[in-house]
């Protein structure tokens, strides 16, 4: 059994980026904005077999993954990389949120409801204050 790495294996950086990006739920537009390029340019990068190390490093930072994941990923290792990264992700930067324990829409509705309750209490207090002032004015007359 040969345990040495297969040096003749073809690595396609672009396909690896696309696979990782899709698994992590990162859109091309997000990478384009971070790299200050167009979405079409990101699509072009995903078609390239070999990508410059500086670009690979930037993309890896954007997706919060090690650059080795892009450089060395094979079909067999794809899921191992993703599972490892999902456990280690702490800063989502709005790209994805795997550890969300609540429904964001429910939180928005909850905030809106509490805001409306506060508004109604303030309105009631203002009405009571106005009624008291009117009573005081009528008593003086």
């Amino acid at each position: 059994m040969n345990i040495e790495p297969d040096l003749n294996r073809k690595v396609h950086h672009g396909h690896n980026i696309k696979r990782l990006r899709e698994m992590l739920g990162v859109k091309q537009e997000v990478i384009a904005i971070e790299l200050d390029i167009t979405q079409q340019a990101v699509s072009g990068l995903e078609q390239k077999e070999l990508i410059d190390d500086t670009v690979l490093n930037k993309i890896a930072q954007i997706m919060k993954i090690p650059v080795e994941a892009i450089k060395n990923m094979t079909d067999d290792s794809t899921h191992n990389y993703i599972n490892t990264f999902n456990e280690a992700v702490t800063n989502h930067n709005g790209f994805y949120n795997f550890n969300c324990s609540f429904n964001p829409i429910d939180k928005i509705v909850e905030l809106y409801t509490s805001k409306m309750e506060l508004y109604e209490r303030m309105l009631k207090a203002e009405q009571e204050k106005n009624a008291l002032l009117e009573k005081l004015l009528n008593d003086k007359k």
Side-chain angles (χ1 to χ4, degrees), residues 22-138:
E22 288 173 347
M23 288 179 181
L24 293 171
V26 179
K27 297 196 176 275
Q28 284 181 338
E29 292 84 14
V30 172
I31 294 174
I33 290 168
E34 292 291 323
L35 291 177
D36 197 26
I37 59 176
T38 64
Q39 181 268 326
Q40 291 81 5
V42 173
S43 181
L45 280 173
E46 289 180 351
Q47 302 305 313
K48 291 176 83 175
E49 186 172 341
L50 294 175
I51 299 174
D52 183 49
D53 282 345
T54 57
V55 176
L56 281 180
N57 286 328
K58 289 178 184 177
I59 292 172
Q61 286 176 345
I62 293 167
M63 293 197 298
K64 306 288 188 238
I65 59 174
V67 72
E68 291 78 22
I70 299 171
K71 288 182 175 183
N72 301 326
M73 188 174 75
T74 62
D75 289 332
D76 296 335
S77 64
T78 301
H79 294 290
N80 290 338
Y81 280 122
I82 293 302
N83 290 337
T84 303
F85 302 143
N86 285 344
E87 293 169 6
V89 170
T90 55
N91 184 7
H92 301 293
N93 286 339
F95 300 143
Y96 41 82
N97 188 354
F98 296 108
N99 299 322
C100 187
S101 61
F102 61 88
N103 184 344
I105 301 298
D106 289 342
K107 288 294 184 185
I108 291 171
V109 170
E110 185 180 312
L111 287 171
Y112 177 77
T113 303
S114 67
K115 179 181 171 185
M116 289 306 297
E117 290 170 354
L118 176 61
Y119 174 75
E120 289 171 4
R121 285 194 314 266
M122 290 173 59
L123 184 60
K124 184 178 178 185
E126 194 66 28
Q127 288 171 343
E128 289 172 357
K129 185 170 67 172
N130 286 340
L132 181 62
L133 286 173
E134 282 182 22
K135 182 181 175 194
L136 288 172
L137 283 173
N138 288 335

